[in-house]
Amino acid sequence: MHRRGDRVTDHPTTHDSPQDNPQDTASDLSSRNPDWWRQAVVHQVYPRSFADSDGDGLGDLRGITGRLPHLAALGVDAVWLSPFYPSELADGGYDIADHRDVDPRLGTLDDFAALTAEAHRLGLKVIVDLVPNHTSHLHPWFREALRSGPGSPARDRYVFRDGRGAHGELPPTDWPSVFGGSAWRRVPDGQWYLHLFAPEQPDLNWGREEVRADFRATLRFWADRGVDGFRVDVAHALAKDLDEPLRDVGDIGATGEDALLLVPPGSHPYYDRDEVHEIYRDWRRILDSYSPPRTAVAEAWVPGARRVLYARPDELGQAFNFEYLQAGWDAGQLRQVITESLAAARAAGASATWVLSNHDVVRHTSRLMLPPGTDENAWLLSGGRVPAVDEAAGLRRARAATLLMLALPGSAYLYQGEELGLPEVADLPAGVLQDPVWEQTGHARKGRDGCRVPLPWTSTGQSYGFGPGAAWLPQPPGFAAYAAEAQDGVEGSTLELYRSALRLRRKLLEGESLTWVEDGPAGVLAFARTGGRRCVTNLSERAVPLPPGEVLLSSSPLTGRRLDPDTTVWLA
């Protein structure tokens, strides 16, 4: 691609920033603890919605840098940056025109260097998104492919094929796009190219050595600039069976992750193929060539037994645990998912990962209140009104879920704004929607904009402190009450709960196992960690007696020795 141009032992728990408390900062210590990631708390930043420094309505790198003290004071170990690369935003930044540069609207490589330096000064690691499955259609390679014509080496960097039908007028296969419709788009000379996501995101051909070599260079480019780790987007889709004739998937009887359950493991035409692991073993050699080794985590939407393969020590090392995110608010279901996740991670030599929200799903403050079996898309299309969600009850449950997650052994991944208790903005009007899912499905699916609404930093201002002017997506008036300014230093606020939990977590965390407590009431999930410290969550609909022990932290106020529904406590 053409080029242009370890950890602080504790963080303050008050509203003072680490800049005001130099004793709470330290130089990077990861060389002393290269396994820092095994039980880290990582905070995901969606750059365009975090903080806008120049008033153009889009969040940017300088905005992030200015707000890093918030993350340091929160007590997280690392910041994960969703894509900030050059992009026309056909898919929120995941359509990348240059994997080794910064979008001019978001800053420059110098701004990235300043962000990384400030993060490290505050004791924060930096993880960046790597998007290897596809490029933007504006990428120089794809433009060259269109100019070069059928059969050219330039086209072979992507997946071009002749169409079916008498005149090639039909797509080469029945492969569907994740965003709706066909995964094939025809070009003027009659050929078709593959895009598992938006048409503006043509899939790369990972059978080409040139593609593999270019991403090796990308890994080194960012690692040389101080990046501590990588989150690998759509890690399960790189290897594809491109032997002729291409296979249809219609006879499988399902799509997406469900289809993977109906075919022999590793044999799907384009998801989770066995050959993909060769790529990550190659990457691991590069990541391990740095001191300390760079970390990586896979976004792989595949069944658990297959997902942990990506987390093996000679591959990426970790993989997101989506079974936990998708689990309902049910003690039995959560216990099963936790037990299986810990066992799978242990078998792979990895640590478990836990996540409740991210840039692709309904925020858990709202999602956990939806009745089991609710069609989330239908709920979004109703503007969040059918069924109605009690916002206060949702926040109470979300706080309980967070304390439960943070007590588990392994790494926790937080999504920006969850520390403020933000709900999903389900009632965004159609005229402001940006997610390509909305148009590509003919307005049948509303998309992910509701979890990407820019953050409120202050209780006043046109964009509640997000920037000097309006934000790229409108924020609801209710955001004022959730603003960081409104919660800072306020006892019992969600922001202070997160700060307290993360401070305690660092002090209490030992080992990577837990022991279930078997004698509790029905609907109560309880486990002990090293040293006898316990986490107890009441997922039932009635109050239960609070177990004996000193209360270290509670997700909601306690009434005597009673644990109310939707409440988690940490006990000594």
Side-chain angles (χ1 to χ4, degrees):
M1 300 177 189
H2 180 65
R3 295 275 59 72
R4 297 192 290 270
D6 180 319
R7 204 33 247 159
V8 181
T9 57
D10 200 0
H11 278 310
T13 57
T14 68
H15 58 279
D16 296 327
S17 78
Q19 290 176 319
D20 299 321
N21 294 274
Q23 70 274 18
D24 287 318
T25 64
S27 59
D28 181 34
L29 301 178
S30 59
S31 59
R32 302 182 199 172
N33 179 20
D35 290 336
W36 64 269
W37 51 272
R38 293 188 70 91
Q39 300 218 59
V41 176
V42 181
H43 189 285
Q44 180 188 1
V45 165
Y46 191 73
R48 290 166 176 82
S49 297
F50 195 71
D52 171 21
S53 70
D54 58 13
D56 66 354
L58 278 179
D60 47 47
L61 297 188
R62 290 187 180 185
I64 296 170
T65 303
R67 295 292 184 180
L68 285 177
H70 167 82
L71 300 183
L74 189 62
V76 300
D77 298 285
V79 54
W80 151 30
L81 303 175
S82 290
F84 50 83
Y85 313 108
S87 171
E88 65 172 340
L89 304 182
D91 180 23
Y94 284 84
D95 49 311
I96 298 173
D98 189 336
H99 290 77
R100 300 199 288 270
D101 206 348
V102 175
D103 191 310
R105 291 167 293 182
L106 273 65
T108 65
L109 284 171
D110 285 341
D111 291 328
F112 180 83
L115 187 160
T116 303
E118 178 65 0
H120 287 165
R121 188 188 74 80
L122 295 171
L124 296 167
K125 303 292 189 296
V126 177
I127 296 171
V128 300
D129 239 308
L130 194 68
V131 185
N133 179 68
H134 46 261
T135 71
S136 166
H137 67 143
L138 300 180
H139 191 286
W141 274 4
F142 193 72
R143 289 177 165 177
E144 181 185 1
L146 294 181
R147 291 194 305 268
S148 298
S152 64
R155 285 216 171 169
D156 196 40
R157 294 173 181 143
Y158 294 89
V159 183
F160 278 85
R161 289 293 186 276
D162 294 329
R164 295 174 174 176
H167 305 288
E169 71 277 12
L170 300 176
T173 70
D174 66 352
W175 297 357
S177 163
V178 173
F179 292 159
S182 173
W184 297 94
R185 170 64 63 94
R186 201 175 192 188
V187 298
D189 61 33
Q191 278 204 313
W192 299 72
Y193 68 87
L194 178 67
H195 61 89
L196 290 181
F197 293 87
E200 296 86 354
Q201 295 169 289
D203 280 45
L204 288 163
N205 175 11
W206 275 85
R208 267 292 288 274
E209 172 56 29
E210 185 179 4
V211 172
R212 298 188 180 212
D214 195 80
F215 272 89
R216 293 188 199 106
T218 296
L219 285 171
R220 293 189 179 100
F221 180 89
W222 293 111
D224 289 345
R225 281 159 178 77
V227 163
D228 301 285
F230 299 88
R231 177 263 190 187
V232 183
D233 185 66
V234 198
H236 58 298
L238 274 58
K240 300 174 176 70
D241 180 4
L242 300 179
D243 291 340
E244 297 290 350
L246 297 181
R247 291 184 288 146
D248 281 342
V249 295
D251 57 351
I252 293 177
T255 59
E257 183 179 348
D258 291 338
L260 297 176
L261 299 172
L262 301 177
V263 297
S267 67
H268 189 277
Y270 51 86
Y271 279 153
D272 190 40
R273 294 188 58 77
D274 289 335
E275 309 94 271
V276 77
H277 298 288
E278 302 170 9
I279 297 169
Y280 299 131
R281 283 191 285 272
D282 180 37
W283 287 10
R284 176 44 61 190
R285 288 189 286 271
I286 295 173
L287 299 175
D288 283 351
S289 70
Y290 288 85
S291 181
R294 298 324 193 222
T295 68
V297 58
E299 182 210 29
W301 289 89
V302 301
R306 294 285 298 180
R307 185 187 65 246
V308 296
L309 301 179
Y310 297 80
R312 290 177 290 193
D314 65 339
E315 295 193 33
L316 296 177
Q318 272 193 338
F320 283 131
N321 179 359
F322 294 118
E323 281 92 343
Y324 185 76
L325 183 151
Q326 294 170 323
W329 190 243
D330 176 83
Q333 188 178 152
L334 282 169
R335 175 168 172 164
Q336 180 179 352
V337 167
I338 292 168
T339 300
E340 292 176 353
S341 299
L342 289 172
R346 187 161 46 249
S351 61
T353 63
W354 315 103
V355 60
L356 286 167
S357 285
N358 61 36
H359 65 292
D360 282 333
V361 301
V362 173
R363 285 186 177 273
H364 67 276
T365 302
S366 301
R367 187 185 72 248
L368 290 176
M369 290 304 296
L370 296 175
T374 298
D375 182 331
E376 291 181 11
N377 180 60
W379 178 75
L380 289 171
L381 289 172
S382 77
R385 291 185 289 271
V386 183
V389 169
D390 183 329
E391 204 167 284
L395 180 56
R396 179 185 179 91
R397 185 169 288 183
R399 288 162 57 107
T402 293
L403 276 200
L404 169 60
M405 177 181 73
L406 292 177
L408 295 169
S411 294
Y413 286 79
L414 311 179
Y415 179 52
Q416 66 175 41
E418 70 171 83
E419 76 275 16
L420 305 178
L422 293 184
E424 183 81 0
V425 183
D427 59 352
L428 288 171
V432 305
L433 297 180
Q434 305 285 324
D435 193 335
V437 169
W438 175 243
E439 293 297 338
Q440 199 160 324
T441 62
H443 302 175
R445 289 165 53 194
K446 194 168 187 180
R448 301 158 292 177
D449 291 313
C451 67
R452 301 176 178 183
V453 174
L455 298 186
W457 293 99
T458 62
S459 300
T460 59
Q462 189 175 0
S463 60
Y464 302 109
F466 168 70
W472 68 281
L473 281 173
Q475 302 146 300
F479 264 27
Y482 289 98
E485 174 188 74
Q487 300 190 49
D488 191 13
V490 177
E491 184 177 357
S493 71
T494 301
L495 176 57
E496 293 300 337
L497 175 69
Y498 270 75
R499 288 174 174 171
S500 297
L502 294 177
R503 183 180 72 254
L504 275 172
R505 186 181 191 272
R506 182 166 295 115
K507 292 179 179 179
L508 303 178
L509 205 61
E510 291 182 49
E512 294 186 14
S513 62
L514 58 76
T515 302
W516 293 108
V517 177
E518 304 290 356
D519 58 355
V524 174
L525 197 65
F527 58 84
R529 296 290 305 276
T530 302
R533 300 180 181 92
R534 284 170 294 158
C535 174
V536 185
T537 303
N538 185 1
L539 297 97
S540 74
E541 297 180 355
R542 65 186 186 282
V544 299
L546 185 67
E550 176 192 358
V551 176
L552 300 174
L553 192 61
S554 175
S555 63
S556 295
L558 299 178
T559 306
R561 297 297 298 181
R562 188 181 72 176
L563 187 63
D564 289 329
D566 295 341
T567 304
T568 296
V569 293
W570 292 358
L571 299 170

